[in-house]
Amino acid sequence: MAREDLPAPPFPLIEARCLTKEYPREGGVTRVVECVSFAIQPGECLGLVGESGCGKSTVARILLRLVEPTAGEVLYQGKPLPPASSAPMRALRRDMQIVFQDPYAALNPRMTVSQVLAEPFVIHHETPPEGLPTRLTELLRSVGLDDSALPRYPHEFSGGQRQRINIARALALRPRFLVLDEPVSALDVSVGAQVVNLLRELQHALGLTYLFISHSMPLIRYLCDRVAVMQRGRLVELGNCSQVCDSPCSPYTQQLIAATPQMPALH
């Protein structure tokens, strides 16, 4: 279902409320995220942008309950996320998946593609209604690969192909929400553009909701509906992509846009 066909939601799919994260250090604490709040509507793509070390990935991991916040809370479909180790949270992980930055490190080199894609079903004790072999073939086709990839190992694929396999694995259990943590930053520009276009097509075809993390404002503008700009652990700007990119209010956003090279056409 395309985003424009979705009914108006009664509340956001996922919402961050004043998230703060501190880590202890000798003589005190280091605050890496400070009172970050935003909401993502069903079918929307929110871009989270900022320089390296600003806290983007920490926010993403808090949303997925991979990291516990020091303060604040995350709501999914209007309800606070359950504790990380609880049965309700394990069930929710079917709905919430992540695609990591490094397509090489994210795949177990000792597992075939078939084993990689089947692993989510094994972990959640599920059997696809259409049968596992059919579902694995469908997953590969959805990301532009075919079933000849199933018996092969990660080292036999290029970086772009590996990232497509990672995306297929994230889609295995038909999630609603995907965190895309700089999914093309480790790829060549042309290959990255193909992966970005694939993500856009999948979002429209499957009605997915994205948090897209990047340091590239042109990439954010192309893919996202809204953008949240982070600096040193805090949100400094939040708004519609075209408005923020054309008329940024924060001096940091202005600097970020000026420092980002223009990307080649992705269409």
Side-chain angles (χ1 to χ4, degrees):
M1 181 182 290
R3 282 174 290 179
E4 57 268 27
D5 297 328
L6 289 166
F11 37 66
L13 181 69
I14 194 158
E15 183 177 0
R17 291 186 176 176
C18 203
L19 297 180
T20 296
K21 181 62 181 177
E22 297 174 342
Y23 289 102
R25 60 176 175 81
E26 187 176 354
V29 297
T30 298
R31 182 170 292 179
V32 295
V33 174
E34 184 173 356
C35 202
V36 169
S37 299
F38 57 79
I40 310 176
Q41 299 295 335
E44 182 183 30
C45 180
L46 176 69
L48 188 58
V49 65
E51 61 192 358
S52 297
C54 70
K56 304 186 301 293
S57 294
T58 300
V59 168
R61 283 157 175 74
I62 292 173
L63 291 184
L64 298 177
R65 214 48 153 187
L66 300 177
V67 171
E68 290 294 321
T70 305
E73 64 176 349
V74 177
L75 279 66
Y76 184 76
Q77 294 185 300
K79 299 179 181 179
L81 286 183
S85 60
S86 66
M89 188 64 225
R90 288 196 296 273
L92 268 183
R93 294 201 187 282
R94 295 178 177 89
D95 272 5
M96 309 166 69
Q97 294 292 319
I98 184 169
V99 176
F100 292 101
Q101 176 179 358
D102 188 345
Y104 298 91
L107 295 174
N108 187 331
R110 298 184 179 182
M111 295 175 70
T112 64
V113 171
S114 178
Q115 292 171 320
V116 166
L117 297 183
E119 190 174 31
F121 299 101
V122 174
I123 291 172
H124 288 277
H125 308 289
E126 287 191 15
T127 301
E130 65 270 41
L132 187 59
T134 299
R135 179 62 178 150
L136 299 190
T137 298
E138 289 176 351
L139 284 169
L140 286 174
R141 288 177 179 169
S142 72
V143 297
L145 300 174
D146 60 50
D147 56 9
S148 66
L150 289 171
R152 297 162 63 189
Y153 288 87
H155 73 269
E156 300 178 66
F157 297 92
S158 67
Q161 290 171 325
R162 292 188 197 199
Q163 198 62 300
R164 288 172 185 265
I165 294 167
N166 284 319
I167 294 167
R169 177 177 58 185
L171 296 175
L173 299 174
R174 296 184 170 93
R176 299 186 64 189
F177 176 59
L178 284 188
V179 169
L180 305 165
D181 191 358
E182 302 204 45
V184 299
S185 64
L187 305 177
D188 292 341
V189 172
S190 60
V191 174
Q194 294 170 14
V195 172
V196 167
N197 282 324
L198 170 65
L199 291 169
R200 195 179 198 188
E201 292 166 5
L202 289 170
Q203 185 186 18
H204 283 268
L206 303 176
L208 296 167
T209 303
Y210 288 163
L211 176 68
F212 186 83
I213 300 172
S214 180
H215 57 268
S216 168
M217 290 299 288
L219 191 54
I220 290 284
R221 181 169 188 165
Y222 175 75
L223 187 64
C224 302
D225 302 296
R226 292 186 302 127
V227 59
V229 182
M230 285 191 70
Q231 180 186 25
R232 297 177 184 174
R234 303 190 62 151
L235 280 189
V236 296
E237 193 153 359
L238 175 64
N240 178 274
C241 270
S242 58
Q243 292 175 347
V244 171
C245 291
D246 292 339
S247 303
C249 296
S250 165
Y252 176 74
T253 307
Q254 296 169 10
Q255 295 171 12
L256 198 62
I257 293 171
T260 306
Q262 292 300 309
M263 295 185 62
L266 291 171
H267 297 284

